[in-house]
Amino acid sequence: MNYFDESTEKVLSELETSVNGLTSSEAESRLSRYGKNEITEQKKKGVLRVFAEQFADLLVIILIVSALVSVFTGNVESAIVIVCVITMNAVLGTIQHFKAEKSLDALKSMSSPTAKVMRDNNIHIVNASDITVGDIVLVEQGDIVSADGRLISCASLQVNESSLTGESNGIEKFTGTLTGESIPLGDRKNMVYTGSLVTAGRGTFVVTSVGMNTELGKIAGLINKAERKKTPLQRSLDKFSKQLSIAIPVLCLIVMILYIVRGTPILDSLMFAVALAVAAIPEALSSIVTIALAIGTRKMAEQNAVIKDLKAVEGLGCVSVICSDKTGTLTQNKMTVRRVYLSGKEETAENITDGPDCELLRKAMALCNDAVYTDRNVIGDPTETALSDFVGMSAYEKLRLEYPRVSEIPFDSDRKLMSTCHTVDGRRTMFTKGATDSLLSRLVSICDNGVIRPITESDKTDIVIANERFSGLGMRVLAFAYKISGNEQSDTEDNYIFIGLSAMTDPPRPESKTAVANCIRAGIKPVMITGDHKVTASAIAREIGIMSDGDISLEGTELDKMSDEELDGVIEKVSVYARVSPDNKIRIVEHWQNKGRIVAMTGDGVNDAPALKKADVGVAMGITGTQVSKDAASMILTDDNFATIIKSVANGRAIYANIKNAVKFLLSGNLAAIIAVLCTAIPGLPAPFTAVQLLFINLLTDSLPAIAISTEKADKSLLSQKPRNIGESFLTKAMSLGIAAGGVLIALAVMMSYFIGSTVSAELACAMAFSTLCIARLFHGFNCRSDKSIFRLGITTNKFSLLAFVAGMLFLVSALFIPGLSGLFTAQMMNIEYFRISLAVGFAPTLLIQAVRIIKEFFIKKK
């Protein structure tokens, strides 16, 4: 129900209460009816359940089955290794889950612990949770509002509702009735809301809503309902896992049948099928992805982006829409004088012409002002601090010391003026600032290049035109005037001499325009969503490039009136949403997502939390953001800067490219092992590998190069590419061909070594196949760093790849030649001569791949 469009008497009557408050017995009765004034939350999953859910993956299930078969067949070592790998991944997943579920705890902490209420015709201090509908609550400066309510009295009351609206300016409240059904929350000046801060004055309100029915409670409900979407990488890997989970069991079954048919005992055939499953499944994949994302997280932290949810790192890489807040993210969150109107001319603040009128304007700005400097920082109302900064700290303090204030008439919403009196050159002088329309009728003279002359109707028309032009640019305009009052009896606000106008706005950050241009170049649609007014927001959006010709802006009330079909029809053209509610923000995000877009959403207030959670990537502000918004987001900007998001997008794209290259490396090696197994199984030859050898390759010599690939630096051309299609398969045609080519070449090398060794014995054939597969895969790590040749890419540009190669070779040499280990890996017959052969044959696939790339680059360069 809307209480803002009803009189206080009617509201009190409808709520069956009075200005004297409820009785204690009536309050108790209503508490039972309406419930506690608390934020409730849904039951959360327990640790054990979350941990168990980490194993609900088809590839993990196949590995668990493989481990069980290994135990029953006496191969306990393999089982232990497999169990350790999957348990480690499950622990990481569980920790990450509980880090993300803190939003409602922070919401609860925003509630006021106690409140002053009228009960039994007396003032009582009660727990905020015991407040109920119909209670009369008293608030004053410094109090946190404990429930939603309709004001019934107030004295100079100002309330900061930034946690709900996103706008940090205090809102001056009154008790009058508002007209209209669809008034945005930020404009309901006769209402107060839970969690808001009283910044000035005092007031009394009747409680209209408590608990989950308050605006804050509704946001909590939206957070409960908003489910995090899986990132594109999660969806790609899920699809990839399903494909592998079908292909691997089928392949293992075929190989097992082949071994049984040729006379191998069933238990041995089963054991080899398990070994093959272990070889085919990239056990290190989950760890590699986690490590790649963690490395990306560290890089982003160095660039002022703190990642809470690892998976969000890669999600940034395919963002196609960024819904950004205006204040503090795209702008400086600091009101600044940007234009002035003096001597009949409009000028920019940077290029203002010095002269007597300018000197007088600076004097009026400094003296008719309540801002103060402490430790070189200015404190005060944002409008007044903008004026003091325009004057300059030293000049401001000098003027205030030279011309101390002797009296004042404070600002109020009826006059829309503030006046102060000073002794200037021995004469009592009144300086006044305020709304242009309020001051215009009080003018009798005007300053014109140092000359004071009577003001004409033409002068007034020019002032009105300048005021309208500044307002049309979304600027806040103040008019300045003065008079020589002579004595205290003449301190009346009339017969003024007009000085000039100042136009203020929260200016864009210096880097915003470039960041928006980079955003558009990267194929990303920037959208401004703000609690500010449409005119102001649109002006800033045009200035920094978010809004261009043909684009439109919508207010929250306009959005509410649109059907889903109507919104779908215009959403591509809407660049600015103003005066929006939390529901509006979720609706905007959902409609973009329904169009198949990956959406990043920025925000700093409690009102942003549901949309931050709903978006594919929620981005909270680290400086101005509330704890609720930070908890709901998956990423926090420590500098509150839009440009940081664009840097993060480039990092996200690089991470995805690196993960794909790492997977390409893992699968091409696994494919080579599978081909080699099939080449020996079909003709009935001895197996080329043992289960222990395959586990050694997958968990040691494979993991290190894959991790090194995940550290590859970002390609400079990444931001010139369009966001990838979320429907795109993880295994694209080009990637599949690369995996097949690498796998076949490595398999040929392995079989060559196998047949060389088989001329001596089956044991040597197995040892040479094992060593060649390890060597070939270690060399192949350099191929998978990029699609470029190693010479164009630079051998030393990724030092981790060199370290991984050296470490892998040391592991292999240890397994082949250290007594005790060589027996475990069936390498007793291996010697230096046979190792040299394996080294040469293992290098051949990389030599061939690099040669093809060099030739291709040569001809491309020639063209």
Side-chain angles (χ1 to χ4, degrees):
M1 185 174 181
N2 293 333
Y3 291 102
F4 53 79
D5 60 358
E6 295 182 349
S7 66
T8 55
E9 293 80 11
K10 189 176 180 183
V11 173
L12 289 168
S13 173
E14 286 179 355
L15 296 174
E16 298 178 359
T17 186
S18 70
V19 293
N20 297 321
L22 302 171
T23 63
S24 296
S25 58
E26 177 62 20
E28 195 70 34
S29 172
R30 293 192 181 199
L31 202 59
S32 301
R33 191 195 322 170
Y34 295 106
K36 287 273 191 181
N37 182 31
E38 294 175 333
I39 303 295
T40 59
E41 58 181 305
Q42 291 178 337
K43 189 178 179 182
K44 292 182 179 179
K45 296 177 184 176
V47 177
L48 289 175
R49 182 179 170 185
V50 173
F51 181 74
E53 285 177 355
Q54 305 304 310
F55 296 92
D57 178 90
L58 288 170
L59 285 182
V60 173
I61 291 167
I62 293 171
L63 283 173
I64 291 170
V65 172
S66 299
L68 290 172
V69 173
S70 297
V71 170
F72 287 123
T73 54
N75 200 338
V76 180
E77 297 88 351
S78 298
I80 291 171
V81 172
I82 295 168
V83 169
C84 286
V85 170
I86 59 179
T87 303
M88 181 183 70
N89 289 330
V91 169
L92 286 172
T94 303
I95 292 168
Q96 201 57 45
H97 174 89
F98 284 103
K99 277 185 178 179
E101 295 298 318
K102 293 180 182 176
S103 302
L104 290 170
D105 294 335
L107 268 174
K108 284 181 172 181
S109 69
M110 289 194 66
S111 304
S112 174
T114 60
K116 294 187 287 289
V117 300
M118 288 287 293
R119 285 190 186 165
D120 301 317
N121 210 19
N122 285 310
I123 297 174
H124 296 270
I125 296 176
V126 301
N127 289 329
S129 60
D130 292 331
I131 290 174
T132 189
V133 173
D135 262 327
I136 303 299
V137 180
L138 292 77
V139 289
E140 58 188 12
Q141 185 175 357
D143 287 346
I144 293 175
V145 178
S146 50
D148 289 4
R150 170 72 160 85
L151 285 163
I152 56 177
S153 72
C154 63
S156 302
L157 181 66
Q158 286 192 11
V159 179
N160 185 323
E161 296 175 347
S162 59
S163 61
L164 292 170
T165 65
E167 296 305 307
S168 57
N169 295 329
I171 298 169
E172 191 166 348
K173 297 290 184 177
F174 61 79
T175 59
T177 304
L178 296 170
T179 56
E181 292 183 5
S182 302
I183 297 176
L185 187 145
D187 294 331
R188 298 175 193 171
K189 296 186 178 181
N190 58 6
M191 300 286 292
V192 289
Y193 296 100
T194 307
S196 302
L197 174 67
V198 178
T199 55
R202 63 184 184 277
T204 306
F205 67 90
V206 56
V207 175
T208 56
S209 302
V210 294
M212 295 300 287
N213 291 319
T214 63
E215 293 298 324
L216 194 71
K218 290 173 186 174
I219 291 170
L222 291 172
I223 293 174
N224 272 333
K225 290 177 187 174
E227 294 182 3
R228 290 194 189 276
K229 293 194 72 171
K230 285 190 173 183
T231 68
L233 179 63
Q234 283 176 293
R235 280 175 263 175
S236 295
L237 289 176
D238 284 349
K239 187 177 178 182
F240 175 57
S241 294
K242 285 177 184 175
Q243 291 169 341
L244 281 183
S245 64
I246 294 168
I248 290 170
V250 170
L251 179 67
C252 292
L253 186 62
I254 292 169
V255 171
M256 183 178 165
I257 291 169
L258 284 171
Y259 270 78
I260 292 170
V261 167
R262 73 175 213 200
T264 306
I266 292 176
L267 198 60
D268 291 345
S269 300
L270 178 62
M271 194 58 233
F272 192 77
V274 168
L276 185 60
V278 172
I281 295 173
E283 292 92 346
L285 178 59
S286 181
S287 301
I288 298 302
V289 169
T290 302
I291 291 165
L293 295 176
I295 290 167
T297 298
R298 191 191 66 207
K299 283 182 184 176
M300 288 185 188
E302 292 169 359
Q303 296 176 342
N304 301 311
V306 176
I307 304 297
K308 284 175 63 227
D309 184 356
L310 280 180
K311 298 181 186 73
V313 178
E314 179 278 329
L316 277 162
C318 51
V319 162
S320 53
V321 178
I322 297 178
C323 297
S324 176
D325 187 27
K326 173 182 72 70
T327 308
T329 309
L330 292 164
T331 64
Q332 297 175 25
N333 196 21
K334 183 182 181 184
M335 292 298 288
T336 305
V337 176
R338 302 191 72 192
R339 295 194 184 185
V340 295
Y341 176 80
L342 281 173
S343 308
K345 295 184 297 183
E346 292 180 25
E347 297 181 90
T348 62
E350 296 83 8
N351 301 315
I352 189 169
T353 305
D354 286 329
D357 291 355
C358 180
E359 185 181 335
L360 191 58
L361 178 65
R362 291 179 190 275
K363 189 178 288 184
M365 287 178 170
L367 299 180
C368 191
N369 198 324
D370 288 330
V372 293
Y373 280 92
T374 57
D375 298 325
R376 305 188 69 83
N377 293 315
V378 64
I379 298 171
D381 179 83
T383 302
E384 296 196 320
T385 60
L387 299 176
S388 63
D389 283 343
F390 178 77
V391 176
M393 186 180 74
S394 57
Y396 180 83
E397 292 186 321
K398 183 181 177 184
L399 284 166
R400 290 169 71 83
L401 283 171
E402 193 173 344
Y403 308 112
R405 187 180 299 182
V406 293
S407 69
E408 67 177 288
I409 306 175
F411 175 87
D412 70 47
S413 55
D414 295 326
R415 293 168 27 255
K416 296 181 181 176
L417 298 173
M418 172 186 174
S419 300
T420 59
C421 290
H422 310 261
T423 303
V424 180
D425 299 330
R427 295 185 295 179
R428 189 180 179 91
T429 305
M430 175 183 275
F431 289 96
T432 298
K433 72 169 186 271
T436 305
D437 54 354
S438 296
L439 200 55
L440 203 61
S441 61
R442 304 169 192 254
L443 302 176
V444 294
S445 303
I446 186 171
C447 294
D448 189 355
N449 291 307
V451 177
I452 297 171
R453 60 173 177 79
I455 195 165
T456 65
E457 286 303 315
S458 176
D459 291 327
K460 289 185 177 182
T461 301
D462 289 342
I463 292 168
V464 170
I465 290 170
N467 180 68
E468 288 176 348
R469 187 178 294 112
F470 291 151
S471 298
L473 292 171
M475 295 185 176
R476 186 176 298 174
V477 185
L478 282 179
F480 292 85
Y482 79 106
K483 63 183 281 190
I484 308 299
S485 58
N487 56 60
E488 195 171 340
Q489 287 71 35
S490 301
D491 288 348
T492 54
E493 293 178 319
D494 53 19
N495 299 317
Y496 282 116
I497 302 164
F498 179 74
I499 302 171
L501 303 175
S502 73
M504 291 162 281
T505 187
D506 179 11
R509 286 174 174 265
E511 62 275 18
S512 286
K513 195 168 185 177
T514 303
V516 168
N518 286 335
C519 179
I520 294 167
R521 180 167 64 91
I524 301 168
K525 165 84 173 172
V527 178
M528 182 188 286
I529 300 182
T530 177
D532 208 345
H533 293 280
K534 185 159 75 170
V535 172
T536 306
S538 298
I540 294 291
R542 284 191 183 280
E543 186 175 350
I544 62 179
I546 285 180
M547 201 170 188
S548 54
D549 293 340
D551 289 352
I552 60 174
S553 55
L554 290 176
E555 282 199 342
T557 51
E558 296 172 301
L559 192 60
D560 288 334
K561 294 172 185 175
M562 297 176 77
S563 66
D564 288 341
E565 292 73 21
E566 287 172 328
L567 181 56
D568 280 334
V570 299
I571 196 167
E572 302 271 0
K573 295 179 182 178
V574 183
S575 292
V576 174
Y577 296 91
R579 310 301 273 176
V580 291
S581 67
D583 283 319
N584 292 150
K585 293 180 181 182
I586 284 187
R587 191 178 177 205
I588 293 162
V589 170
E590 283 181 338
H591 275 262
W592 276 116
Q593 288 174 336
N594 291 341
K595 284 183 171 285
R597 302 293 195 95
I598 300 298
V599 183
M601 171 84 189
T602 77
D604 56 6
V606 174
N607 61 320
D608 296 315
L612 289 173
K613 190 174 179 183
K614 180 70 179 173
D616 297 283
V617 181
V619 184
M621 303 298 113
I623 299 171
T624 59
T626 60
Q627 189 59 43
V628 181
S629 65
K630 291 175 187 176
D631 288 342
S634 46
M635 170 178 161
I636 300 168
L637 302 183
T638 57
D639 60 355
D640 290 12
N641 196 334
F642 183 82
T644 303
I645 303 174
I646 307 305
K647 291 177 189 173
S648 300
V649 167
N651 274 327
R653 291 185 177 185
I655 288 163
Y656 183 74
N658 289 344
I659 288 172
K660 282 195 78 170
N661 287 336
V663 171
K664 183 179 177 181
F665 166 76
L666 291 171
L667 292 187
S668 54
N670 287 10
L671 179 62
I674 292 166
I675 293 171
V677 168
L678 290 174
C679 287
T680 56
I682 292 168
L685 298 172
F689 315 110
T690 65
V692 173
Q693 288 174 344
L694 290 172
L695 276 170
F696 174 88
I697 294 168
N698 275 14
L699 298 175
L700 283 178
T701 56
D702 261 11
S703 297
L704 294 175
I707 292 169
I709 290 167
S710 69
T711 67
E712 198 69 35
K713 291 179 181 176
D715 193 304
K716 292 178 181 177
S717 65
L718 282 171
L719 274 182
S720 300
Q721 300 169 13
K722 300 297 178 190
R724 76 175 190 275
N725 187 343
I726 57 168
E728 176 186 284
S729 172
F730 191 70
L731 283 174
T732 59
K733 187 177 179 181
M735 185 176 172
S736 298
L737 287 172
I739 291 169
V744 168
L745 287 173
I746 293 171
L748 287 172
V750 169
M751 291 312 297
M752 187 181 293
S753 288
Y754 176 84
F755 287 121
I756 291 170
S758 65
T759 58
V760 177
S761 70
E763 288 77 11
L764 183 59
C766 182
M768 288 189 70
F770 165 60
S771 60
T772 303
L773 182 60
C774 284
I775 292 164
R777 289 174 85 158
L778 287 171
F779 276 118
H780 194 52
F782 295 108
N783 299 327
C784 293
R785 283 177 54 194
S786 169
D787 291 331
K788 299 173 184 175
S789 70
I790 196 70
F791 299 105
R792 190 177 166 198
L793 190 63
I795 297 173
T796 58
T797 53
N798 186 340
K799 292 177 182 176
F800 290 108
S801 64
L802 291 172
L803 290 171
F805 178 82
V806 171
M809 290 297 286
L810 287 173
F811 280 131
L812 177 61
V813 169
S814 300
L816 293 175
F817 297 111
I818 292 179
L821 284 179
S822 59
L824 180 65
F825 290 99
T826 323
Q828 297 98 323
M829 296 188 69
M830 196 69 172
N831 60 33
I832 295 298
E833 190 60 39
Y834 291 128
F835 182 73
R836 283 177 184 165
I837 295 169
S838 295
L839 192 63
V841 174
F843 177 63
T846 294
L847 185 65
L848 186 59
I849 290 169
Q850 290 297 320
V852 170
R853 288 181 183 177
I854 291 166
I855 293 166
K856 193 186 292 183
E857 287 167 3
F858 174 77
F859 282 109
I860 290 171
K861 194 176 180 181
K862 242 186 166 185
K863 287 181 181 179

